[in-house]
Amino acid sequence: MYNVRTEHERKTVRMIFYPSLLTKQFGNAESQQTLLFKVPKMDHHPEHKDAPEQALADILAAKDLIELFLKMGKAQELNLASLRDRPNTLFEINGISLEGKLIAHLVDEARRGQGYAYAPYSHFNVGAAILAANRAGEQKVFSGCNVENAAYGSTICAERTATFKAVSEGFRKFHAYAVVGGFDQHVSKALRTNTQKSYITPCGSCRQVMNEFEASPCAVIMAKGTGEIYMTTLNYLLPSGFGPRALGVDAADYDGGYANQLAQKK
Ligand code: THU
């Protein structure tokens, strides 16, 4: 019998007992506040020594949040309402800064896309929105929804719908994505309310497809139905991803020549 311990377990334990590590890792004042509020300062709590139940309760309270951070890498939690109040504030994450109004706009557009979700089989409605640039440097937001199919495997996710909409219009450099999701009216209220409380994370196939067109870094914004926003970058969702650069290709610059022919004909 081998004793197998995952990196995840080790990190969880270490981080719980050294919240200062978390503070160091998760940068700015806002995320620190969230963390310090939610993660009890275990190393400064002498009462934990005499009250193991309290220590356990504190660990459990911190566990969910820490797991979220471990799963998604560096990230910060924001709130849609407070973002709308700070439209011009820059929110920085892993080397990319987005204005509050852009984050809110992307979430709004993802929600608009969600409204068109075609999900009569899973009843899970997903919406996505991408801020993308074309070769002329113009920027545009593209939204998308999941489009299911009676042959279930032919279903496409919202993130890929938005991606293909953008790429098919010549917008191949992606700066930021927003993703929202939740069950429709056909499922029980309990299930619907429950999923509203969690973030929808892009599936593995979508991460790979998004990676093809990412401007490095590319922000990924996930919003709960309740308004909390979780922001990270694609390189944390897909570390060491295999992308066009591995094959010496620049996705944003690729030109098969047909666009020029069209331009000449005009
Ligand atoms: N789905 C998305 O659109 N994006 C994701 O990132 C996860 C899953 C869709 C696919 C399917 O229509 C439904 O959600 C349930 O899997």
Side-chain angles (χ1 to χ4, degrees):
M1 182 77 175
Y2 296 99
N3 180 11
V4 178
R5 257 199 341 162
T6 63
E7 176 69 5
H8 174 91
E9 278 168 336
R10 246 182 291 142
K11 266 199 196 154
T12 306
V13 171
R14 201 187 61 201
M15 284 187 161
I16 286 171
F17 287 100
Y18 298 97
S20 49
L21 265 181
L22 281 175
T23 319
K24 248 186 243 151
Q25 246 186 308
F26 301 119
N28 78 17
E30 189 152 354
S31 56
Q32 279 175 28
Q33 265 172 16
T34 317
L35 281 163
L36 291 178
F37 172 70
K38 291 192 181 167
V39 180
K41 290 187 179 174
M42 301 290 290
D43 40 3
H44 302 309
H45 271 225
E47 66 267 30
H48 281 155
K49 265 201 265 122
D50 307 318
E53 327 75 55
Q54 184 55 45
L56 184 63
D58 285 347
I59 288 172
L60 291 177
K63 191 172 151 276
D64 282 355
L65 189 74
I66 290 168
E67 275 181 352
L68 196 68
F69 277 86
L70 287 175
K71 231 192 291 177
M72 301 191 190
K74 289 189 191 179
Q76 60 170 300
E77 274 196 317
L78 305 164
N79 185 286
L80 196 55
S82 75
L83 278 179
R84 291 198 203 282
D85 290 341
R86 289 182 292 166
N88 299 318
T89 306
L90 283 173
F91 294 90
E92 200 273 335
I93 186 74
N94 306 334
I96 185 168
S97 304
L98 304 184
E99 287 175 307
K101 61 184 169 210
L102 170 62
I103 301 173
H105 179 57
L106 285 172
V107 172
D108 290 344
E109 279 298 294
R111 285 195 176 147
R112 198 176 62 80
Q114 185 187 17
Y116 298 117
Y118 176 70
Y121 308 109
S122 74
H123 295 290
F124 198 70
N125 291 193
V126 185
I130 317 169
L131 173 71
N134 66 9
R135 291 173 74 195
E138 293 159 342
Q139 291 187 341
K140 203 167 161 183
V141 172
F142 293 86
S143 66
C145 63
N146 52 334
V147 183
E148 297 193 342
N149 192 277
Y152 293 176
S154 301
T155 290
I156 190 93
C157 293
E159 298 88 324
R160 272 176 285 166
T161 303
T163 298
F164 299 148
K165 276 174 72 177
V167 173
S168 59
E169 295 290 328
F171 288 73
R172 294 197 208 123
K173 194 170 187 178
F174 296 173
H175 294 289
Y177 264 92
V179 186
V180 299
F183 278 109
D184 66 17
Q185 307 291 323
H186 299 276
V187 306
S188 73
K189 193 157 181 246
L191 189 54
R192 220 164 51 223
T193 326
N194 221 11
T195 47
Q196 278 210 331
K197 292 184 202 147
S198 43
Y199 296 105
I200 306 307
T201 61
C203 79
S205 302
C206 287
R207 290 176 200 206
Q208 180 62 29
V209 171
M210 288 152 81
N211 183 62
E212 184 78 14
F213 302 106
E214 66 154 6
S216 187
C218 173
V220 182
I221 299 151
M222 291 156 257
K224 288 184 193 177
T226 46
E228 287 102 320
I229 289 178
Y230 188 89
M231 184 159 113
T232 185
T233 43
L234 188 55
N235 56 328
Y236 279 86
L237 294 180
L238 187 70
S240 315
F242 185 79
R245 264 163 253 125
L247 301 178
V249 168
D250 181 338
D253 266 359
Y254 169 77
D255 179 6
Y258 290 96
N260 284 343
Q261 280 178 24
L262 280 177
Q264 276 161 16
K265 268 191 195 149
K266 270 189 194 163

